[in-house]
């Protein structure tokens, strides 16, 4: 199966209104070009320098989403072009992104990454940490970042019901946050959940953005 075929088959399973981020980390630019030729414009990467190198040589109408751990000292390499940083897990990081985006006179869209999975290795804010970040209110004064929604990963487990419970929890939390902090802010609308192995469950539980890598590009060789 080609990248174009894989892309078409993933797309065919997504209801209207669900955005597909093609996670191209570790894959060469030629595969991104294949997906681009098949109409894909939204790509996600996990390493800032890798994303910057690809963005440099690929078409400028690609929207790049960053989904990995952000090293503050590398923000400068993506600040001029990154569309959305999905992995925001602190106020400090929001401030840094704001500062760098200001230098380019632009706004970087952000998703707050929520930690709900069982694994301790996953990054992100617990629901409580997320609420205290939002209650601080400081983010409202940051003119060059915009909080547009939440991102989460479910546990890496064959237990479908557990995965479903986690996505359900995130969706409830998302609705609560929207009501409490973003009632007058229609841009807060993105719920980014689900990867190759669990995106159909995420979609069934209300995700409107999925991040799919291996089902499109094949296995990664690290
Ligand atoms: C790698 C990655 C994905 C995609 O994973 P696949 O299993 O290849 O679909 C999605 N989200 C994040 C945050 C990732 O790091």
């Amino acid at each position: 199966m080609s990248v174009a075929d894989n892309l078409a088959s993933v797309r065919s399973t997504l209801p209207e209104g669900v955005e597909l981020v093609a996670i191209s980390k570790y894959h060469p630019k030629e595969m991104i070009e294949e997906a681009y030729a098949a109409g894909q414009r939204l790509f996600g990467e996990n390493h800032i320098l890798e994303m910057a190198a690809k963005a440099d040589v690929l078409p400028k109408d690609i929207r790049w989403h960053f989904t990995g751990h952000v090293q503050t000292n590398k923000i400068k390499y993506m600040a001029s072009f990154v569309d959305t940083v999905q992995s925001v897990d602190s106020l400090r990081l929001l401030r840094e992104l704001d500062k760098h985006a200001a230098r380019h006179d632009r706004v970087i869209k952000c998703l707050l990454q929520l930690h709900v999975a069982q694994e301790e290795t996953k990054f992100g804010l617990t629901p409580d940490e997320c609420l205290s970040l939002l209650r601080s209110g400081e983010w409202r004064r940051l003119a060059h970042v915009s909080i547009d929604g939440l991102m989460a990963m479910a546990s890496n487990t064959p237990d479908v019901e557990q995965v479903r419970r986690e996505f359900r929890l995130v969706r409830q939390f998302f609705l609560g946050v929207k009501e409490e902090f973003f009632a007058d802010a229609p841009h807060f609308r993105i719920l980014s959940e689900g990867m190759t192995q669990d995106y159909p469950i995420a979609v069934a539980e209300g995700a409107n953005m999925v991040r799919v890598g291996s089902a499109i590009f094949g296995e990664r060789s690290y």
Side-chain angles (χ1 to χ4, degrees), residues 97-132:
L97 290 167
D98 180 72
K99 190 174 82 188
H100 285 272
R103 288 178 190 157
H104 295 277
D105 195 23
R106 60 189 297 265
V107 173
I108 296 177
K109 296 181 237 170
C110 295
L111 305 183
L112 298 177
Q113 181 177 355
L114 217 55
H115 176 108
V116 290
Q118 301 285 315
E119 294 102 81
E120 298 196 354
T121 53
K122 301 253 158 92
F123 296 101
L125 299 153
T126 64
D128 280 346
E129 289 166 343
C130 185
L131 286 177
S132 43

Coordinates of all heavy atoms in Angstrom, one line a residue, residues 97-132:
L97 N 6.6 30.5 24.6 CA 6.0 30.5 23.2 C 5.5 31.9 22.8 O 5.7 32.4 21.7 CB 4.9 29.4 23.1 CG 5.4 28.0 23.2 CD1 4.2 27.1 23.4 CD2 6.1 27.6 21.9
D98 N 4.9 32.5 23.8 CA 4.3 33.9 23.6 C 5.5 34.9 23.2 O 5.4 35.6 22.3 CB 3.6 34.3 24.8 CG 3.0 35.7 24.7 OD1 2.0 35.9 23.9 OD2 3.6 36.7 25.3
K99 N 6.5 34.8 24.0 CA 7.7 35.7 23.8 C 8.3 35.5 22.4 O 8.5 36.4 21.7 CB 8.7 35.3 24.9 CG 9.9 36.3 25.0 CD 10.8 35.9 26.2 CE 11.7 34.8 25.8 NZ 12.5 34.3 27.0
H100 N 8.5 34.2 22.0 CA 9.1 34.0 20.7 C 8.1 34.3 19.5 O 8.5 34.8 18.5 CB 9.5 32.5 20.6 CG 10.8 32.2 21.3 ND1 12.0 32.4 20.8 CD2 10.9 31.8 22.6 CE1 12.9 32.1 21.7 NE2 12.3 31.7 22.8
A101 N 6.8 34.0 19.7 CA 5.9 34.4 18.7 C 5.8 35.9 18.5 O 5.7 36.4 17.3 CB 4.5 33.8 19.0
A102 N 5.9 36.6 19.6 CA 5.9 38.1 19.5 C 7.0 38.6 18.6 O 6.8 39.5 17.8 CB 6.0 38.7 20.9
R103 N 8.1 38.0 18.7 CA 9.3 38.4 17.9 C 9.0 38.3 16.4 O 9.6 39.0 15.5 CB 10.5 37.6 18.2 CG 11.1 38.0 19.5 CD 12.3 37.1 19.9 NE 12.7 37.3 21.3 CZ 13.4 36.5 22.0 NH1 13.8 35.4 21.5 NH2 13.6 36.8 23.3
H104 N 8.1 37.4 16.0 CA 7.7 37.2 14.6 C 6.4 37.8 14.3 O 5.8 37.6 13.3 CB 7.7 35.7 14.3 CG 9.1 35.1 14.4 ND1 10.0 35.1 13.4 CD2 9.7 34.4 15.4 CE1 11.1 34.5 13.8 NE2 10.9 34.1 15.0
D105 N 5.9 38.5 15.3 CA 4.6 39.2 15.2 C 3.5 38.3 14.7 O 2.7 38.6 13.8 CB 4.8 40.4 14.1 CG 3.6 41.3 14.2 OD1 2.9 41.4 15.3 OD2 3.3 42.0 13.2
R106 N 3.4 37.1 15.4 CA 2.4 36.2 15.0 C 1.8 35.5 16.3 O 2.3 35.7 17.4 CB 2.9 35.1 14.0 CG 4.1 34.3 14.5 CD 4.7 33.4 13.4 NE 3.7 32.5 12.9 CZ 3.6 31.2 13.3 NH1 4.4 30.7 14.2 NH2 2.7 30.4 12.8
V107 N 0.8 34.7 16.0 CA 0.2 33.9 17.1 C 0.4 32.4 16.9 O 0.2 31.9 15.8 CB -1.4 34.2 17.2 CG1 -2.0 33.3 18.2 CG2 -1.6 35.7 17.5
I108 N 0.9 31.8 18.0 CA 1.1 30.3 17.9 C -0.1 29.7 18.6 O -0.4 30.0 19.8 CB 2.4 29.9 18.6 CG1 3.6 30.4 17.8 CG2 2.4 28.3 18.7 CD1 4.9 30.1 18.4
K109 N -0.8 28.8 17.9 CA -2.0 28.1 18.5 C -1.4 27.0 19.5 O -0.4 26.4 19.1 CB -2.9 27.5 17.5 CG -3.5 28.6 16.6 CD -4.4 27.9 15.6 CE -4.0 28.3 14.2 NZ -4.7 27.5 13.1
C110 N -2.1 26.8 20.6 CA -1.6 25.9 21.5 C -2.8 25.0 22.0 O -3.9 25.4 22.1 CB -1.1 26.6 22.8 SG 0.3 27.6 22.5
L111 N -2.4 23.7 22.3 CA -3.4 22.8 23.0 C -2.7 22.5 24.3 O -1.5 22.3 24.4 CB -3.6 21.5 22.1 CG -4.1 21.7 20.7 CD1 -4.3 20.3 20.1 CD2 -5.3 22.6 20.6
L112 N -3.5 22.4 25.3 CA -3.0 21.9 26.6 C -3.0 20.4 26.6 O -4.0 19.8 26.3 CB -3.8 22.5 27.8 CG -3.9 24.0 27.9 CD1 -4.8 24.5 29.0 CD2 -2.5 24.6 28.0
Q113 N -1.8 19.8 26.9 CA -1.8 18.4 26.9 C -2.1 17.8 28.3 O -1.6 18.2 29.3 CB -0.4 17.9 26.6 CG -0.3 16.4 26.5 CD 1.1 15.9 26.1 OE1 2.0 16.7 25.7 NE2 1.3 14.6 26.1
L114 N -3.1 17.0 28.3 CA -3.7 16.4 29.5 C -3.1 15.0 29.7 O -3.0 14.2 28.8 CB -5.2 16.3 29.3 CG -6.1 16.5 30.5 CD1 -5.8 17.9 31.1 CD2 -7.5 16.5 30.1
H115 N -2.7 14.7 30.9 CA -2.2 13.4 31.2 C -3.4 12.6 31.9 O -3.8 12.9 33.0 CB -1.0 13.5 32.2 CG -0.5 12.2 32.6 ND1 0.6 11.6 32.2 CD2 -1.1 11.2 33.5 CE1 0.8 10.4 32.7 NE2 -0.2 10.2 33.5
V116 N -3.8 11.6 31.2 CA -4.9 10.7 31.8 C -4.5 9.2 31.8 O -5.1 8.4 32.4 CB -6.3 10.9 31.1 CG1 -6.9 12.2 31.4 CG2 -6.1 10.6 29.6
A117 N -3.4 8.9 31.0 CA -3.0 7.5 30.8 C -2.4 7.0 32.1 O -2.0 7.7 33.0 CB -2.0 7.4 29.7
Q118 N -2.4 5.7 32.2 CA -1.8 5.0 33.4 C -0.3 5.2 33.4 O 0.3 5.3 34.5 CB -2.2 3.5 33.4 CG -3.7 3.2 33.4 CD -4.3 3.5 34.7 OE1 -3.8 3.0 35.7 NE2 -5.4 4.1 34.8
E119 N 0.3 5.1 32.2 CA 1.8 5.2 32.2 C 2.3 6.4 32.8 O 1.8 7.5 32.6 CB 2.3 5.1 30.7 CG 2.0 3.8 30.1 CD 0.8 3.9 29.1 OE1 1.0 4.4 28.0 OE2 -0.3 3.5 29.5
E120 N 3.4 6.3 33.5 CA 4.1 7.4 34.1 C 4.9 8.2 33.1 O 5.4 9.3 33.3 CB 4.9 7.0 35.3 CG 4.1 6.4 36.4 CD 4.8 6.3 37.7 OE1 6.0 6.7 37.8 OE2 4.1 5.9 38.7
T121 N 5.2 7.5 32.0 CA 6.1 8.1 31.0 C 5.5 9.2 30.2 O 6.2 10.0 29.5 CB 6.7 7.0 30.0 OG1 5.6 6.4 29.5 CG2 7.5 6.0 30.8
K122 N 4.2 9.3 30.2 CA 3.5 10.3 29.3 C 3.6 11.6 29.9 O 3.4 11.8 31.1 CB 2.1 9.9 29.1 CG 1.9 8.5 28.4 CD 1.5 8.6 26.9 CE 1.9 7.3 26.1 NZ 0.9 6.3 26.1
F123 N 3.9 12.6 29.1 CA 3.9 14.0 29.6 C 2.5 14.5 29.7 O 1.5 13.9 29.3 CB 4.7 14.9 28.6 CG 6.1 14.5 28.4 CD1 6.6 13.7 27.3 CD2 7.1 14.9 29.4 CE1 7.9 13.4 27.2 CE2 8.4 14.5 29.2 CZ 8.8 13.8 28.2
G124 N 2.4 15.7 30.3 CA 1.1 16.4 30.3 C 0.7 16.8 31.7 O 1.3 16.5 32.7
L125 N -0.4 17.6 31.7 CA -0.9 18.1 32.9 C -2.0 17.2 33.5 O -2.8 16.7 32.7 CB -1.6 19.5 32.7 CG -0.8 20.6 32.1 CD1 -1.7 21.6 31.3 CD2 -0.1 21.4 33.3
T126 N -2.0 17.0 34.8 CA -3.2 16.3 35.3 C -4.4 17.2 35.2 O -4.2 18.5 35.1 CB -3.0 15.9 36.8 OG1 -2.9 17.2 37.5 CG2 -1.7 15.1 37.0
P127 N -5.6 16.7 35.3 CA -6.7 17.6 35.2 C -6.6 18.8 36.2 O -6.9 19.9 35.9 CB -7.9 16.7 35.4 CG -7.5 15.4 34.9 CD -6.0 15.3 35.2
D128 N -6.2 18.4 37.4 CA -6.1 19.5 38.5 C -5.0 20.5 38.1 O -5.3 21.7 38.3 CB -5.7 18.9 39.8 CG -6.9 18.3 40.6 OD1 -8.0 18.6 40.1 OD2 -6.7 17.5 41.5
E129 N -3.9 20.1 37.6 CA -2.9 21.1 37.2 C -3.4 21.9 36.0 O -3.1 23.1 36.0 CB -1.6 20.3 36.7 CG -0.8 19.7 37.9 CD 0.2 18.7 37.4 OE1 0.1 18.2 36.2 OE2 1.1 18.3 38.2
C130 N -4.1 21.3 35.1 CA -4.7 22.1 34.0 C -5.6 23.2 34.5 O -5.6 24.3 34.1 CB -5.4 21.1 33.1 SG -6.0 21.9 31.6
L131 N -6.5 22.8 35.5 CA -7.4 23.8 36.0 C -6.7 24.9 36.7 O -7.0 26.1 36.6 CB -8.4 23.1 37.0 CG -9.4 22.2 36.4 CD1 -10.3 21.6 37.5 CD2 -10.3 23.0 35.4
S132 N -5.6 24.6 37.5 CA -4.9 25.7 38.2 C -4.2 26.6 37.2 O -4.2 27.8 37.4 CB -4.1 25.3 39.4 OG -3.3 24.2 39.0

